[in-house]
Amino acid sequence: MTEAAIRLSGIHKSFGAHHVLRGIDLQARNGEVISIIGGSGSGKSTLLRCVPLLEQPDSGQIAVGDDSISLGEPGQRLTGRDRQAMRRLRSQLGFVFQNFNLWPHMTALQNVMELPLHVQKRPRAECREEAEALLERVGLTARRDAWPSQLSGGQQQRVAIARALAVRPRALLFDEPTSALDPELVGEVLTVIRALAEEGRTMVLVTHEMGFARHVSHRAIYLHDGRIEEEGPPEQVFDNPLSERCRRFVSHHLSRN
Amino acid sequence: MDIHFLLGLIPTLLSGLPLTLELTVFSLLGGGVIALLLNGLRAGSIVGARVADFYVFLFRGSPLLLQIFLIYYAPGQFSFIRHSFVWPFLREPYVCALLALMLNDAAYTSEIIRAGLRAAPRGAIEAAVVGGMSPLTRLRRVILPLAFRQALPAYGIEITGMLKSTSLASVVTLMDVTGIASAEVSQTYRAIEVFLTAAVIYLVLVTLVTYGVQRLEGWLSPTRTPLSARSAA
């Protein structure tokens, strides 16, 4: 748990006049599970999307492993070297979206095989074997030839997690992975995520599931208005926060769950 | 009804079938290539997009029959064209009709392609981006396959439309199914039998194409669930 898997420093991001992220510094050590919580509009999803540069920060530095990108000004054009670094950086991450975002024209198995086969160019037999093993992990061996439209939301999200794992990522990023699910389907997805946390994977999790976040994470971060307002072990952030605003947020959400 | 006349009529009209099919296939191929170029132009620059818009406006906004007439009759009025290397081609009614059909098909097909390219859900493209796919891989593995599925029903209609439109080539003396039919009518004055039989030939062709496209659609989406109807939960 010493070396940093992900390092963000001085991340700023605005959408028009709206300053969404106001200088975020964040490190995820290898094997660490970090939960990011905060109200809507606090910038937590934007922060997570900045890591693989789905949103390009206006300024700041992003590093994943040995690959890093520095940005100095809003809308800066990436150089060829930056683009290469960006591609390498992305290939080390597994990203799980709120709306699953499976490729609708591929079966569950094809979705999981796609990136190892067509981006990482690994041998087909190996990709297939690994994809089947991953689908078994998430309990979907029986549905491997189903199309995304034939799967429930919970099943789609489990396929999406298998797809994220298939690239053998250094770290996993979850962007509100259960927010689009019917309540009765949340549990099956959380079970999978918990198992991943327990096997020592590096994960950053944006979530509204406070009870779950407190249970699985090593560190929690409360974001407010584009700044880190509270940061510490989950016992501190969820049970005894220093910030009054964080206390109100957490108690409101924990009492609901 | 004279059964012997009808039996003799069918092979006569069918002798125009190769030309009808040839015009259809070539105009779809040529039109398809031009349509792809138009989409490239559109993606290239704002000026290119305006040019493509104007092209589509012209060829979709005016009658195909007039486009055939213009391409067939107009070049002959210019002596510099009559004395240039293109004249031996532009003099041929076959070339003129095919050119008009191609240019017309390109306008419609480019719009079908454009709609298809916009069909890939934003999330599916984001998943490809975050997975480290290069823009080319994204196009090849995600955007085009989804575009093809989206565009297929509309393109099926375009195929049958072109098949029927080739009958207009008969006005510049081409002896396709319709051309032979009108020649037959002017000889026999049996308009009802001849034109009805010709119409039945087109009906059969259109039915075959429609069936083929539907089979392809079914094969591409085994669940028969439209992409747009996917629920989020």
Side-chain angles (χ1 to χ4, degrees):
Chain A
M1 300 243 316
T2 48
E3 197 198 333
I6 300 173
R7 283 187 316 266
L8 306 177
S9 43
I11 301 292
H12 282 267
K13 176 72 183 174
S14 295
F15 292 112
H18 184 35
H19 202 161
V20 183
L21 299 176
R22 302 166 183 258
I24 302 277
D25 299 300
L26 175 64
Q27 292 204 4
R29 293 184 296 273
N30 281 322
E32 194 178 21
V33 178
I34 297 179
S35 309
I36 301 177
I37 58 171
S40 69
S42 61
K44 54 193 193 307
S45 276
T46 305
L47 177 63
L48 197 74
R49 288 166 61 85
C50 279
V51 181
L53 284 116
L54 270 177
E55 307 289 352
Q56 183 177 324
D58 297 336
S59 62
Q61 194 185 35
I62 300 165
V64 177
D66 298 326
D67 296 300
S68 69
I69 293 186
S70 291
L71 296 153
E73 53 190 280
Q76 179 181 334
R77 277 187 69 87
L78 297 178
T79 64
R81 177 187 294 226
D82 284 341
R83 286 180 190 284
Q84 279 183 359
M86 180 173 74
R87 195 86 46 81
R88 281 199 307 273
L89 189 147
R90 283 172 174 163
S91 69
Q92 299 180 58
L93 298 168
F95 198 100
V96 177
F97 296 89
Q98 180 177 347
N99 292 313
F100 336 129
N101 293 353
L102 293 179
W103 294 303
H105 58 301
M106 301 180 196
T107 63
L109 185 67
Q110 286 167 344
N111 263 281
V112 181
M113 285 175 66
E114 179 67 17
L115 295 173
L117 191 59
H118 292 283
V119 176
Q120 301 181 328
K121 314 270 187 207
R122 281 150 52 187
R124 179 177 287 272
E126 178 192 313
C127 295
R128 188 182 175 88
E129 205 172 299
E130 205 170 305
E132 283 173 347
L134 286 169
L135 283 178
E136 191 179 340
R137 272 208 64 170
V138 299
L140 286 171
T141 300
R143 307 304 318 268
R144 59 178 213 174
D145 294 323
W147 304 90
S149 57
Q150 295 171 309
L151 299 173
S152 72
Q155 290 172 334
Q156 287 188 57
Q157 193 61 299
R158 285 186 282 152
V159 173
I161 293 171
R163 175 176 70 175
L165 289 168
V167 299
R168 300 175 177 168
R170 178 187 284 266
L172 287 169
L173 309 174
F174 293 87
D175 185 9
E176 303 195 25
T178 58
S179 296
L181 296 176
D182 292 338
E184 74 271 21
L185 302 176
V186 169
E188 64 189 62
V189 172
L190 293 184
T191 304
V192 170
I193 298 175
R194 182 179 296 123
L196 293 170
E198 282 165 2
E199 70 181 36
R201 289 187 180 266
T202 313
M203 311 202 314
V204 181
L205 189 65
V206 168
T207 186
H208 286 296
E209 300 284 335
M210 299 295 156
F212 178 75
R214 178 165 62 178
H215 182 72
V216 299
S217 49
H218 302 116
R219 191 147 57 100
I221 286 169
Y222 171 69
L223 221 58
H224 177 74
D225 208 12
R227 290 197 182 85
I228 294 178
E229 170 124 347
E230 176 95 22
E231 176 176 9
E235 304 80 49
Q236 174 199 324
V237 174
F238 290 106
D239 301 334
N240 207 4
L242 307 172
S243 141
E244 179 53 34
R245 196 180 275 122
C246 180
R247 182 190 304 276
R248 278 202 306 269
F249 178 80
V250 169
S251 69
H252 178 68
H253 279 266
L254 279 177
S255 64
R256 267 198 337 185
N257 289 350
Chain B
M1 278 288 178
D2 180 345
I3 192 75
H4 293 289
F5 175 70
L6 271 180
L7 286 178
L9 184 62
I10 291 170
T12 310
L13 290 180
L14 283 180
S15 68
L17 187 59
L19 182 58
T20 292
L21 294 179
E22 193 181 310
L23 285 170
T24 307
V25 171
F26 286 170
S27 56
L28 288 170
L29 288 177
V33 171
I34 301 169
L36 286 175
L37 293 176
L38 283 170
N39 273 280
L41 194 65
R42 197 185 289 286
S45 66
I46 294 173
V47 178
R50 291 283 169 279
V51 172
D53 281 343
F54 187 63
Y55 178 95
V56 171
F57 166 73
L58 275 190
F59 280 89
R60 286 206 314 186
S62 63
L64 174 57
L65 182 58
L66 290 184
Q67 292 164 19
I68 294 175
F69 280 151
L70 273 171
I71 291 176
Y72 184 56
Y73 291 111
Q77 289 190 2
F78 300 97
S79 73
F80 72 92
I81 294 180
R82 280 200 309 276
H83 293 101
S84 76
F85 73 98
V86 295
W87 184 239
F89 301 103
L90 280 184
R91 203 170 52 182
E92 292 294 328
Y94 175 80
V95 173
C96 292
L98 186 57
L99 194 59
L101 288 168
M102 270 185 197
L103 294 175
N104 187 269
D105 172 70
Y108 287 90
T109 303
S110 79
E111 288 298 290
I112 293 172
I113 294 175
R114 180 153 81 126
L117 287 175
R118 278 192 274 178
R122 203 178 119 88
I125 296 174
E126 275 195 344
V129 168
V130 89
M133 281 193 192
S134 67
L136 200 67
T137 310
R138 244 147 43 206
L139 194 68
R140 192 169 59 84
R141 298 292 310 167
V142 177
I143 297 171
L144 287 182
L146 288 170
F148 187 73
R149 284 161 175 77
Q150 168 77 22
L152 194 56
Y155 193 63
I157 293 169
E158 177 61 17
I159 296 176
T160 54
M162 284 314 288
L163 181 62
K164 290 177 289 175
S165 296
T166 56
S167 70
L168 291 174
S170 62
V171 298
V172 289
T173 73
L174 289 192
M175 294 308 255
D176 66 332
V177 172
T178 307
I180 291 176
S182 21
E184 199 68 16
V185 169
S186 53
Q187 277 177 19
T188 62
Y189 298 101
R190 296 178 133 169
I192 295 178
E193 291 96 322
V194 175
F195 284 141
L196 272 182
T197 309
V200 168
I201 292 177
Y202 285 99
L203 270 173
V204 170
L205 290 175
V206 167
T207 307
L208 288 176
V209 170
T210 307
Y211 176 74
V213 171
Q214 276 172 357
R215 284 293 296 266
L216 188 57
E217 273 176 55
W219 182 71
L220 282 173
S221 52
T223 66
R224 294 204 168 265
T225 310
L227 297 178
S228 53
R230 287 171 64 234
S231 67

